[in-house]
Amino acid sequence: MNSSDFKIGLLKSYGYLSGYIDQADFCIYNKALGTHNFGKAQTDAYVQASEIVKLINQKNQLVDLSNVLTNALNGLTEEERKLLVLRYVKGQVAGDVMVKLGLTKGKYYVRANKALENFEKRLKYDGVDEEWFKESYSKKPWFRRLINFANDK
């Protein structure tokens, strides 16, 4: 994954994070309810509790990533943020983004590259780079499935 793919992959995933967080909450809630089976447990309490803790940890990682991405986007100019959100978070094609922002093709690509550069700078300011992402998230199978879904793979 090159640097551009890393940034774009994060932006594409950003739009899905709140839904993933909500799903994690739902799973945690259901797992917790499942522990109240009144003596008909198929697994012991320790296994049930460890599954819930694992889900809570995964949810917290998603919340942390969402916060980092939100901070990075909020650190951009309004125009840069709009461009990146329309193009990558909402998945609009470049031509539609150009029209919405009133940009020529040349200006669009210059501003898109500048916005991606500034987004990367904001991420690095918060301690997030491609290596951090690989170590913290992309090695985890559950997270790779989420990213692949968000990036249509």
Side-chain angles (χ1 to χ4, degrees), residues 21 29 32 58 78 91 117 135 142:
I21 292 165
Y29 177 78
Q58 289 174 350
E78 185 176 344
E117 285 175 23
E135 290 301 316
W142 66 270

Side-chain angles (χ1 to χ4, degrees), residues 90-122:
K90 295 190 175 190
Q92 296 181 7
V93 296
D96 290 346
V97 177
M98 286 181 231
V99 170
K100 284 186 179 174
L101 298 179
L103 300 172
T104 64
K105 187 175 183 177
K107 283 185 181 182
Y108 166 79
Y109 286 105
V110 167
R111 291 184 185 175
N113 287 332
K114 180 74 170 159
L116 283 169
E117 285 175 23
N118 288 337
F119 179 67
E120 183 175 30
K121 286 178 188 175
R122 294 299 308 171

